[in-house]
Amino acid sequence: MKVLLTGAAGFIGSNLSEALVKRGDQVVGIDSFDPYYERAVKERNLSGLGSASNFNFVEMDLRDKASVRAMLQEGFDVVVHLAGRGGVRRSIAEPEAYV
């Protein structure tokens, strides 16, 4: 199965990516490395996937509609959407960034 997984560098996304890769699925993981969490933390989350031939990581912001359209043209069996911005207080201060 070919899976597109957003939020792949987060805790849940990276663990799901590892499980899908282990199962034999082809996984394309996307993350924007939003600065709410330190980049090093997210890179560590992905470190177990670096050598997997059936995992491809793309750094992408889902607000970039053209990039998302182009990515979807590759064709996927499943899209798992786990991307989201952290921080309740930040969402109140910057609601447009969360929409």
Side-chain angles (χ1 to χ4, degrees):
M1 183 177 304
K2 188 172 180 183
V3 180
L4 176 64
L5 196 151
T6 68
F11 177 77
I12 296 171
S14 61
N15 280 282
L16 180 56
S17 292
E18 288 178 12
L20 293 170
V21 163
K22 185 176 181 181
R23 188 173 82 170
D25 295 316
Q26 180 68 38
V27 179
V28 176
I30 295 175
D31 205 286
S32 69
F33 287 102
D34 180 80
Y36 186 80
Y37 296 103
E38 291 183 32
R39 185 180 184 102
V41 171
K42 289 188 160 196
E43 287 176 344
R44 240 186 339 268
N45 289 346
L46 292 172
S47 64
L49 294 158
S51 62
S53 63
N54 55 333
F55 180 79
N56 183 40
F57 180 76
V58 178
E59 186 170 348
M60 178 193 305
D61 190 324
L62 294 176
R63 295 174 296 173
D64 180 349
K65 292 178 185 177
S67 294
V68 172
R69 279 190 197 102
M71 176 64 67
L72 291 173
Q73 292 301 312
E74 292 184 23
F76 294 91
D77 299 306
V78 175
V79 176
V80 180
H81 180 49
L82 297 175
R85 289 179 160 240
V88 173
R89 287 188 179 105
R90 187 172 142 194
S91 72
I92 294 168
E94 305 171 42
E96 64 284 347
Y98 286 74
V99 174

Coordinates of all heavy atoms in Angstrom, one line a residue:
M1 N 0.8 -1.2 0.0 CA 0.0 0.0 0.0 C 0.9 1.2 0.0 O 1.9 1.3 0.7 CB -0.9 0.0 1.2 CG -1.9 1.1 1.3 SD -3.0 1.1 2.7 CE -3.7 -0.5 2.5
K2 N 0.5 2.2 -0.8 CA 1.3 3.5 -0.8 C 0.5 4.5 0.1 O -0.6 4.8 -0.2 CB 1.4 4.0 -2.2 CG 2.3 5.2 -2.4 CD 2.6 5.6 -3.8 CE 3.5 6.8 -3.9 NZ 3.7 7.2 -5.3
V3 N 1.2 5.0 1.1 CA 0.6 5.9 2.1 C 1.3 7.3 2.1 O 2.5 7.4 2.1 CB 0.8 5.2 3.5 CG1 0.2 6.1 4.6 CG2 0.2 3.9 3.5
L4 N 0.5 8.3 2.1 CA 1.0 9.7 2.3 C 0.6 10.0 3.8 O -0.5 9.9 4.2 CB 0.3 10.7 1.4 CG 0.7 12.1 1.6 CD1 2.1 12.4 1.3 CD2 -0.2 13.0 0.7
L5 N 1.6 10.4 4.6 CA 1.4 10.6 6.0 C 1.9 12.0 6.3 O 3.1 12.3 6.2 CB 2.2 9.6 6.8 CG 1.7 9.5 8.3 CD1 2.0 8.1 8.8 CD2 2.5 10.5 9.1
T6 N 1.0 12.9 6.7 CA 1.4 14.3 7.1 C 1.7 14.3 8.6 O 1.2 13.5 9.4 CB 0.2 15.3 6.8 OG1 -0.9 15.0 7.7 CG2 -0.2 15.2 5.4
G7 N 2.6 15.2 9.0 CA 3.0 15.2 10.4 C 3.9 14.1 10.7 O 4.0 13.6 11.9
A8 N 4.7 13.6 9.8 CA 5.5 12.4 9.9 C 6.6 12.6 10.9 O 7.1 11.6 11.4 CB 6.1 12.0 8.6
A9 N 7.1 13.8 11.2 CA 8.2 14.0 12.1 C 7.7 14.1 13.6 O 8.5 14.2 14.5 CB 9.0 15.2 11.7
G10 N 6.4 14.2 13.8 CA 5.9 14.3 15.1 C 5.9 12.9 15.8 O 6.3 11.9 15.3
F11 N 5.6 12.9 17.1 CA 5.7 11.7 17.9 C 4.8 10.6 17.3 O 5.2 9.5 17.0 CB 5.3 12.0 19.4 CG 5.3 10.7 20.2 CD1 6.4 10.2 20.7 CD2 4.1 10.1 20.5 CE1 6.4 9.0 21.4 CE2 4.0 9.0 21.3 CZ 5.2 8.4 21.8
I12 N 3.5 10.9 17.1 CA 2.6 9.9 16.6 C 2.9 9.6 15.1 O 2.9 8.4 14.7 CB 1.1 10.4 16.7 CG1 0.8 10.5 18.2 CG2 0.2 9.4 16.0 CD1 -0.6 11.2 18.5
G13 N 3.2 10.6 14.3 CA 3.5 10.4 12.9 C 4.7 9.5 12.7 O 4.7 8.6 11.8
S14 N 5.7 9.8 13.5 CA 7.0 9.0 13.3 C 6.8 7.5 13.7 O 7.3 6.6 13.1 CB 8.1 9.6 14.0 OG 7.9 9.7 15.4
N15 N 6.0 7.3 14.8 CA 5.8 5.9 15.2 C 4.9 5.2 14.2 O 5.1 4.0 14.0 CB 5.1 6.0 16.6 CG 6.2 6.1 17.7 OD1 6.9 5.2 18.0 ND2 6.3 7.3 18.2
L16 N 3.9 5.9 13.7 CA 3.0 5.2 12.7 C 3.8 5.0 11.4 O 3.7 3.9 10.8 CB 1.8 6.1 12.4 CG 0.9 5.5 11.3 CD1 0.4 4.1 11.7 CD2 -0.3 6.5 11.1
S17 N 4.7 5.9 11.0 CA 5.5 5.7 9.9 C 6.4 4.4 10.0 O 6.5 3.6 9.1 CB 6.4 6.9 9.6 OG 5.7 8.0 9.2
E18 N 7.0 4.3 11.2 CA 7.8 3.1 11.5 C 7.0 1.8 11.4 O 7.5 0.8 10.8 CB 8.5 3.2 12.9 CG 9.6 4.2 12.9 CD 10.2 4.4 14.3 OE1 9.9 3.6 15.2 OE2 11.0 5.4 14.5
A19 N 5.8 1.8 11.9 CA 4.9 0.6 11.9 C 4.5 0.3 10.5 O 4.6 -0.9 10.1 CB 3.7 0.9 12.8
L20 N 4.2 1.3 9.7 CA 3.8 1.1 8.3 C 5.0 0.6 7.5 O 4.8 -0.4 6.6 CB 3.2 2.3 7.7 CG 1.9 2.8 8.2 CD1 1.6 4.2 7.7 CD2 0.8 1.8 7.9
V21 N 6.2 1.1 7.7 CA 7.4 0.7 7.0 C 7.7 -0.7 7.3 O 8.0 -1.6 6.5 CB 8.5 1.6 7.3 CG1 9.9 1.0 6.9 CG2 8.3 3.0 6.5
K22 N 7.6 -1.0 8.6 CA 7.9 -2.4 9.1 C 6.9 -3.4 8.5 O 7.2 -4.5 8.1 CB 7.8 -2.5 10.6 CG 8.2 -3.8 11.2 CD 8.1 -3.7 12.7 CE 8.5 -5.1 13.3 NZ 8.5 -5.1 14.8
R23 N 5.6 -3.0 8.3 CA 4.6 -3.8 7.7 C 4.9 -4.0 6.2 O 4.3 -4.9 5.5 CB 3.3 -3.1 7.9 CG 2.1 -4.0 7.5 CD 0.8 -3.4 7.9 NE 0.4 -2.4 6.9 CZ -0.8 -1.8 6.9 NH1 -1.7 -2.1 7.9 NH2 -1.1 -0.9 6.0
G24 N 5.7 -3.2 5.6 CA 6.0 -3.3 4.2 C 5.4 -2.3 3.3 O 5.5 -2.4 2.0
D25 N 4.7 -1.3 3.8 CA 4.1 -0.3 3.0 C 5.1 0.7 2.5 O 6.2 0.9 3.1 CB 3.0 0.5 3.8 CG 1.8 -0.4 4.3 OD1 1.4 -1.2 3.4 OD2 1.4 -0.3 5.4
Q26 N 4.8 1.3 1.4 CA 5.6 2.4 0.9 C 5.0 3.7 1.5 O 3.9 4.0 1.3 CB 5.5 2.5 -0.7 CG 6.3 3.6 -1.3 CD 7.8 3.3 -1.2 OE1 8.2 2.2 -1.3 NE2 8.5 4.4 -1.0
V27 N 5.9 4.5 2.2 CA 5.4 5.6 3.0 C 6.1 6.9 2.5 O 7.3 6.9 2.4 CB 5.6 5.4 4.5 CG1 5.1 6.7 5.3 CG2 4.9 4.2 5.0
V28 N 5.3 7.9 2.2 CA 5.9 9.2 1.9 C 5.4 10.1 3.1 O 4.2 10.3 3.4 CB 5.4 9.8 0.6 CG1 5.9 11.3 0.4 CG2 5.8 9.0 -0.6
G29 N 6.4 10.5 3.9 CA 6.1 11.3 5.1 C 6.4 12.8 4.8 O 7.4 13.2 4.2
I30 N 5.5 13.7 5.3 CA 5.6 15.1 5.1 C 5.6 15.8 6.5 O 4.8 15.4 7.4 CB 4.4 15.7 4.3 CG1 4.4 15.1 2.9 CG2 4.4 17.2 4.3 CD1 3.2 15.5 2.1
D31 N 6.4 16.8 6.7 CA 6.4 17.6 7.9 C 7.0 18.9 7.5 O 7.9 19.0 6.7 CB 7.2 17.0 9.0 CG 6.7 17.4 10.4 OD1 7.0 18.6 10.7 OD2 6.0 16.7 11.1
S32 N 6.5 20.0 8.2 CA 7.1 21.3 7.9 C 8.1 21.8 8.9 O 8.7 22.8 8.7 CB 5.9 22.4 7.9 OG 5.4 22.5 9.2
F33 N 8.4 21.0 9.9 CA 9.3 21.4 11.0 C 8.9 22.7 11.6 O 9.7 23.6 11.8 CB 10.7 21.4 10.5 CG 11.3 20.0 10.3 CD1 11.4 19.5 9.0 CD2 11.7 19.2 11.4 CE1 11.9 18.2 8.8 CE2 12.2 17.9 11.2 CZ 12.3 17.4 9.9
D34 N 7.6 22.9 11.9 CA 7.1 24.1 12.5 C 8.0 24.3 13.8 O 8.3 23.4 14.5 CB 5.7 23.9 12.9 CG 5.1 25.2 13.6 OD1 4.8 26.1 12.8 OD2 5.0 25.2 14.8
P35 N 8.4 25.6 14.0 CA 9.3 25.8 15.1 C 8.8 25.7 16.5 O 9.5 25.9 17.5 CB 9.8 27.3 14.9 CG 8.7 27.9 14.1 CD 8.2 26.8 13.2
Y36 N 7.5 25.4 16.7 CA 6.9 25.2 18.0 C 7.7 24.1 18.8 O 7.9 24.2 20.0 CB 5.4 24.8 17.9 CG 4.8 24.7 19.3 CD1 4.4 25.9 19.9 CD2 4.6 23.5 19.9 CE1 3.8 25.9 21.2 CE2 4.0 23.5 21.2 CZ 3.6 24.6 21.8 OH 3.0 24.6 23.0
Y37 N 8.1 23.0 18.1 CA 8.9 22.0 18.7 C 10.3 22.2 18.0 O 10.4 22.5 16.9 CB 8.4 20.6 18.4 CG 7.1 20.3 19.0 CD1 5.9 20.3 18.3 CD2 7.0 20.0 20.4 CE1 4.7 20.1 18.8 CE2 5.7 19.8 21.0 CZ 4.6 19.8 20.2 OH 3.4 19.6 20.8
E38 N 11.3 21.9 18.8 CA 12.7 22.0 18.3 C 12.9 21.0 17.1 O 12.5 19.9 17.2 CB 13.7 21.7 19.4 CG 13.8 22.8 20.4 CD 14.9 22.5 21.5 OE1 15.9 21.9 21.1 OE2 14.7 22.9 22.6
R39 N 13.6 21.5 16.1 CA 13.8 20.7 14.9 C 14.6 19.4 15.3 O 14.3 18.3 14.8 CB 14.6 21.5 13.9 CG 14.8 20.7 12.6 CD 15.5 21.6 11.5 NE 15.6 20.8 10.3 CZ 14.8 21.1 9.2 NH1 14.0 22.1 9.3 NH2 15.0 20.3 8.2
A40 N 15.5 19.5 16.2 CA 16.3 18.4 16.6 C 15.4 17.2 17.2 O 15.7 16.1 16.9 CB 17.4 18.8 17.6
V41 N 14.4 17.6 17.9 CA 13.5 16.6 18.4 C 12.8 15.8 17.3 O 12.7 14.6 17.3 CB 12.4 17.3 19.3 CG1 11.3 16.3 19.7 CG2 13.1 17.8 20.6
K42 N 12.3 16.6 16.3 CA 11.6 15.9 15.2 C 12.6 15.1 14.3 O 12.2 14.1 13.8 CB 10.9 17.0 14.3 CG 9.7 17.5 15.1 CD 8.8 18.4 14.2 CE 7.4 18.5 14.7 NZ 6.5 19.0 13.7
E43 N 13.8 15.6 14.2 CA 14.8 14.8 13.4 C 15.1 13.5 14.1 O 15.3 12.5 13.5 CB 16.0 15.7 13.2 CG 15.8 16.8 12.1 CD 17.0 17.7 11.9 OE1 17.9 17.7 12.8 OE2 17.0 18.4 10.9
R44 N 15.2 13.6 15.4 CA 15.4 12.4 16.2 C 14.2 11.4 16.0 O 14.4 10.2 15.9 CB 15.5 12.7 17.7 CG 16.8 12.3 18.3 CD 17.0 12.5 19.8 NE 16.1 13.4 20.5 CZ 16.4 14.7 20.7 NH1 17.5 15.3 20.2 NH2 15.5 15.5 21.4
N45 N 13.0 11.9 15.9 CA 11.8 11.1 15.7 C 12.0 10.3 14.4 O 11.5 9.2 14.3 CB 10.6 11.9 15.7 CG 10.2 12.4 17.1 OD1 10.7 12.0 18.1 ND2 9.2 13.4 17.1
L46 N 12.5 11.0 13.4 CA 12.7 10.4 12.1 C 13.9 9.5 11.9 O 14.0 8.8 10.9 CB 12.7 11.5 11.0 CG 11.5 12.3 10.8 CD1 11.8 13.4 9.8 CD2 10.4 11.4 10.2
S47 N 14.8 9.5 12.9 CA 16.1 8.8 12.7 C 16.0 7.3 12.5 O 16.8 6.8 11.8 CB 17.0 9.1 14.0 OG 16.4 8.6 15.1
G48 N 15.0 6.7 13.0 CA 14.8 5.3 12.8 C 14.3 4.9 11.4 O 14.3 3.7 11.1
L49 N 14.0 5.9 10.7 CA 13.4 5.7 9.3 C 14.5 6.0 8.2 O 14.2 5.7 7.0 CB 12.2 6.5 9.1 CG 11.0 6.2 9.9 CD1 10.0 7.3 10.0 CD2 10.3 4.9 9.4
G50 N 15.6 6.5 8.6 CA 16.6 7.0 7.6 C 17.0 5.9 6.6 O 17.3 6.3 5.5
S51 N 17.2 4.7 7.0 CA 17.7 3.7 6.2 C 16.7 2.9 5.5 O 17.0 2.0 4.7 CB 18.7 2.8 7.0 OG 17.9 2.1 8.0
A52 N 15.4 3.1 5.7 CA 14.3 2.3 5.1 C 14.1 2.7 3.7 O 13.9 3.9 3.4 CB 13.0 2.5 5.9
S53 N 14.2 1.7 2.8 CA 14.1 2.0 1.4 C 12.6 2.3 1.0 O 12.4 2.9 -0.1 CB 14.6 0.8 0.6 OG 13.8 -0.3 0.9
N54 N 11.7 2.0 1.9 CA 10.3 2.2 1.6 C 9.7 3.4 2.3 O 8.5 3.5 2.5 CB 9.4 0.9 1.8 CG 9.6 0.4 3.2 OD1 10.6 0.6 3.9 ND2 8.6 -0.3 3.7
F55 N 10.6 4.3 2.7 CA 10.2 5.6 3.4 C 10.9 6.7 2.7 O 12.1 6.7 2.5 CB 10.5 5.6 4.9 CG 10.1 6.9 5.5 CD1 8.8 7.1 5.9 CD2 11.1 7.9 5.8 CE1 8.4 8.3 6.5 CE2 10.7 9.1 6.4 CZ 9.4 9.2 6.8
N56 N 10.1 7.7 2.3 CA 10.6 8.9 1.7 C 10.1 10.1 2.5 O 8.9 10.2 2.7 CB 10.2 9.0 0.2 CG 10.8 10.2 -0.5 OD1 12.0 10.6 -0.2 ND2 10.1 10.9 -1.3
F57 N 11.0 11.0 2.9 CA 10.6 12.2 3.7 C 10.6 13.4 2.8 O 11.6 13.6 2.0 CB 11.4 12.4 4.9 CG 11.0 13.6 5.7 CD1 9.9 13.5 6.5 CD2 11.7 14.8 5.6 CE1 9.4 14.7 7.2 CE2 11.3 15.9 6.3 CZ 10.2 15.8 7.1
V58 N 9.6 14.3 2.9 CA 9.5 15.5 2.2 C 9.2 16.6 3.1 O 8.2 16.6 3.8 CB 8.4 15.5 1.1 CG1 8.3 16.8 0.3 CG2 8.7 14.3 0.1
E59 N 10.1 17.6 3.2 CA 9.8 18.8 4.1 C 8.9 19.7 3.3 O 9.3 20.2 2.2 CB 11.1 19.5 4.5 CG 10.9 20.6 5.4 CD 12.2 21.2 6.0 OE1 13.2 20.5 5.9 OE2 12.1 22.2 6.7
M60 N 7.7 19.9 3.8 CA 6.7 20.7 3.0 C 5.7 21.3 4.0 O 5.3 20.7 5.0 CB 6.0 19.7 2.1 CG 4.9 20.4 1.3 SD 3.8 19.3 0.4 CE 4.9 18.3 -0.6
D61 N 5.3 22.5 3.7 CA 4.2 23.2 4.4 C 2.9 22.9 3.7 O 2.8 23.2 2.5 CB 4.5 24.7 4.5 CG 3.6 25.4 5.5 OD1 2.4 25.0 5.6 OD2 4.1 26.3 6.1
L62 N 2.0 22.3 4.4 CA 0.7 22.0 3.7 C -0.1 23.2 3.3 O -1.1 23.1 2.5 CB -0.2 21.1 4.7 CG 0.4 19.7 5.0 CD1 -0.5 19.0 6.0 CD2 0.5 18.9 3.7
R63 N 0.3 24.4 3.7 CA -0.4 25.6 3.3 C 0.1 26.0 1.8 O -0.6 26.8 1.2 CB -0.1 26.8 4.2 CG -0.7 26.5 5.6 CD -0.3 27.6 6.6 NE 1.1 27.5 6.8 CZ 1.8 28.4 7.5 NH1 1.2 29.4 8.0 NH2 3.1 28.3 7.6
D64 N 1.1 25.3 1.3 CA 1.5 25.5 0.0 C 0.7 24.6 -1.0 O 1.0 23.5 -1.2 CB 3.0 25.2 -0.1 CG 3.6 25.4 -1.5 OD1 2.9 25.6 -2.5 OD2 4.8 25.3 -1.6
K65 N -0.4 25.2 -1.5 CA -1.4 24.4 -2.2 C -0.8 23.8 -3.5 O -1.1 22.6 -3.8 CB -2.5 25.3 -2.6 CG -3.4 25.7 -1.4 CD -4.5 26.6 -1.8 CE -5.2 27.2 -0.6 NZ -6.3 28.1 -1.0
A66 N 0.1 24.5 -4.2 CA 0.7 23.9 -5.4 C 1.5 22.7 -5.1 O 1.5 21.7 -5.8 CB 1.5 25.0 -6.1
S67 N 2.3 22.7 -4.0 CA 3.1 21.6 -3.6 C 2.3 20.4 -3.2 O 2.6 19.2 -3.5 CB 4.1 21.9 -2.5 OG 5.0 22.9 -2.9
V68 N 1.2 20.7 -2.5 CA 0.3 19.6 -2.1 C -0.4 19.0 -3.3 O -0.4 17.7 -3.4 CB -0.8 20.1 -1.1 CG1 -1.8 19.1 -0.8 CG2 -0.1 20.6 0.2
R69 N -0.9 19.8 -4.2 CA -1.5 19.2 -5.5 C -0.5 18.4 -6.2 O -0.8 17.3 -6.7 CB -2.0 20.4 -6.4 CG -3.3 20.9 -6.0 CD -3.8 21.9 -7.0 NE -4.8 22.7 -6.5 CZ -4.6 24.0 -6.1 NH1 -3.5 24.6 -6.3 NH2 -5.6 24.7 -5.6
A70 N 0.7 18.8 -6.3 CA 1.8 18.1 -7.1 C 2.0 16.7 -6.4 O 2.2 15.7 -7.0 CB 3.0 18.9 -7.2
M71 N 2.1 16.8 -5.0 CA 2.3 15.5 -4.3 C 1.2 14.6 -4.5 O 1.4 13.4 -4.7 CB 2.5 15.9 -2.8 CG 2.7 14.7 -1.9 SD 4.2 13.8 -2.1 CE 5.4 14.9 -1.6
L72 N 0.0 15.0 -4.4 CA -1.2 14.1 -4.6 C -1.2 13.5 -6.0 O -1.8 12.4 -6.1 CB -2.4 14.9 -4.3 CG -2.6 15.2 -2.8 CD1 -3.9 16.1 -2.6 CD2 -2.7 14.0 -1.9
Q73 N -0.6 14.1 -7.0 CA -0.6 13.6 -8.3 C 0.2 12.3 -8.4 O 0.0 11.5 -9.3 CB 0.0 14.6 -9.3 CG -0.9 15.8 -9.5 CD -2.2 15.5 -10.1 OE1 -2.4 14.7 -11.0 NE2 -3.3 16.0 -9.5
E74 N 1.1 12.0 -7.4 CA 1.8 10.8 -7.4 C 0.9 9.6 -7.1 O 1.3 8.5 -7.4 CB 2.9 10.8 -6.3 CG 4.0 11.8 -6.5 CD 5.1 11.8 -5.5 OE1 5.2 10.8 -4.8 OE2 5.8 12.8 -5.3
G75 N -0.2 9.8 -6.6 CA -1.2 8.7 -6.4 C -0.9 7.9 -5.1 O 0.2 7.4 -4.9
F76 N -1.9 7.9 -4.2 CA -1.7 7.2 -2.9 C -3.0 6.4 -2.7 O -4.1 6.7 -3.1 CB -1.5 8.2 -1.8 CG -0.2 9.0 -1.9 CD1 -0.2 10.2 -2.5 CD2 0.9 8.4 -1.3 CE1 1.0 10.9 -2.6 CE2 2.1 9.1 -1.5 CZ 2.2 10.3 -2.1
D77 N -2.8 5.3 -2.0 CA -3.9 4.4 -1.6 C -4.6 5.0 -0.4 O -5.8 4.9 -0.2 CB -3.5 3.0 -1.3 CG -2.8 2.3 -2.5 OD1 -3.5 2.3 -3.6 OD2 -1.7 1.9 -2.4
V78 N -3.8 5.6 0.5 CA -4.3 6.2 1.7 C -3.6 7.5 2.1 O -2.4 7.6 1.8 CB -4.1 5.2 2.9 CG1 -4.5 5.7 4.2 CG2 -4.8 3.9 2.6
V79 N -4.3 8.4 2.6 CA -3.7 9.6 3.2 C -4.0 9.7 4.7 O -5.2 9.6 5.1 CB -4.2 10.9 2.5 CG1 -3.7 12.2 3.2 CG2 -3.9 10.9 1.0
V80 N -3.0 9.7 5.5 CA -3.2 9.8 6.9 C -2.8 11.2 7.3 O -1.6 11.6 7.2 CB -2.3 8.8 7.7 CG1 -2.5 8.9 9.2 CG2 -2.7 7.4 7.2
H81 N -3.7 12.0 7.8 CA -3.4 13.4 8.1 C -3.3 13.6 9.6 O -4.2 13.6 10.4 CB -4.6 14.3 7.6 CG -4.4 15.7 7.9 ND1 -3.3 16.4 7.6 CD2 -5.3 16.6 8.5 CE1 -3.4 17.7 7.9 NE2 -4.6 17.8 8.5
L82 N -2.0 13.7 10.0 CA -1.7 13.9 11.5 C -1.0 15.3 11.7 O -0.6 15.6 12.8 CB -0.7 12.8 11.9 CG -1.3 11.4 11.9 CD1 -0.3 10.4 12.3 CD2 -2.5 11.3 12.8
A83 N -0.8 16.1 10.7 CA -0.2 17.4 10.8 C -1.1 18.3 11.6 O -2.3 18.3 11.4 CB 0.1 17.9 9.4
G84 N -0.5 19.1 12.4 CA -1.2 20.1 13.1 C -0.2 21.0 13.9 O 0.9 20.6 14.1
R85 N -0.6 22.2 14.2 CA 0.2 23.1 15.0 C 0.0 22.9 16.5 O -1.2 22.8 16.9 CB 0.0 24.5 14.6 CG 0.5 24.8 13.2 CD 0.1 26.2 12.8 NE 1.0 26.6 11.7 CZ 1.9 27.6 11.8 NH1 2.0 28.3 12.9 NH2 2.7 27.8 10.8
G86 N 1.0 22.9 17.2 CA 0.9 22.7 18.7 C 0.7 24.1 19.3 O 0.9 25.1 18.8
G87 N 0.2 24.0 20.5 CA 0.0 25.2 21.3 C -1.3 25.9 21.3 O -1.7 26.6 20.4
V88 N -2.1 25.6 22.4 CA -3.4 26.2 22.5 C -3.3 27.7 22.6 O -4.0 28.5 22.0 CB -4.2 25.6 23.7 CG1 -5.5 26.4 23.9 CG2 -4.4 24.2 23.5
R89 N -2.4 28.2 23.5 CA -2.2 29.7 23.7 C -1.8 30.3 22.4 O -2.3 31.4 22.0 CB -1.2 30.0 24.8 CG -1.7 29.7 26.1 CD -0.8 30.2 27.2 NE -1.4 29.9 28.5 CZ -0.9 28.9 29.3 NH1 0.1 28.2 28.9 NH2 -1.5 28.7 30.5
R90 N -0.9 29.7 21.6 CA -0.5 30.3 20.4 C -1.7 30.3 19.4 O -1.8 31.2 18.5 CB 0.7 29.4 19.8 CG 1.3 30.0 18.6 CD 2.6 29.2 18.3 NE 2.7 29.0 16.9 CZ 3.5 28.2 16.3 NH1 4.3 27.4 16.9 NH2 3.5 28.1 15.0
S91 N -2.5 29.3 19.4 CA -3.7 29.3 18.5 C -4.6 30.5 18.7 O -5.3 31.0 17.8 CB -4.4 28.0 18.5 OG -5.2 27.9 19.7
I92 N -4.7 30.9 20.0 CA -5.6 32.1 20.3 C -4.9 33.3 19.8 O -5.6 34.2 19.3 CB -5.8 32.1 21.8 CG1 -6.7 30.9 22.2 CG2 -6.5 33.4 22.2 CD1 -6.7 30.6 23.7
A93 N -3.6 33.4 19.9 CA -2.9 34.6 19.5 C -2.8 34.7 18.0 O -2.8 35.8 17.4 CB -1.5 34.7 20.1
E94 N -2.7 33.6 17.3 CA -2.5 33.5 15.9 C -3.5 32.6 15.2 O -3.1 31.6 14.6 CB -1.1 33.0 15.5 CG 0.0 33.7 16.2 CD 1.3 33.0 15.9 OE1 1.6 32.5 14.8 OE2 2.1 32.9 16.9
P95 N -4.8 32.8 15.3 CA -5.8 31.9 14.8 C -5.7 31.6 13.3 O -5.9 30.5 12.9 CB -7.1 32.5 15.2 CG -6.9 33.9 15.4 CD -5.4 34.0 15.9
E96 N -5.3 32.6 12.5 CA -5.2 32.4 11.1 C -4.1 31.3 10.7 O -4.2 30.7 9.7 CB -4.9 33.7 10.3 CG -3.6 34.4 10.6 CD -3.5 35.1 12.0 OE1 -4.6 35.3 12.6 OE2 -2.4 35.4 12.4
A97 N -3.1 31.2 11.5 CA -2.1 30.2 11.3 C -2.6 28.8 11.5 O -2.0 27.8 11.1 CB -0.9 30.5 12.1
Y98 N -3.7 28.6 12.2 CA -4.2 27.3 12.6 C -5.4 26.9 11.7 O -5.8 25.7 11.7 CB -4.7 27.3 14.0 CG -3.5 27.3 15.0 CD1 -2.7 28.4 15.2 CD2 -3.2 26.1 15.6 CE1 -1.7 28.4 16.1 CE2 -2.1 26.0 16.5 CZ -1.3 27.2 16.7 OH -0.3 27.1 17.6
V99 N -5.9 27.8 10.9 CA -7.0 27.4 10.0 C -6.6 26.6 8.9 O -5.6 26.7 8.2 CB -7.7 28.7 9.5 CG1 -8.8 28.4 8.5 CG2 -8.3 29.5 10.7

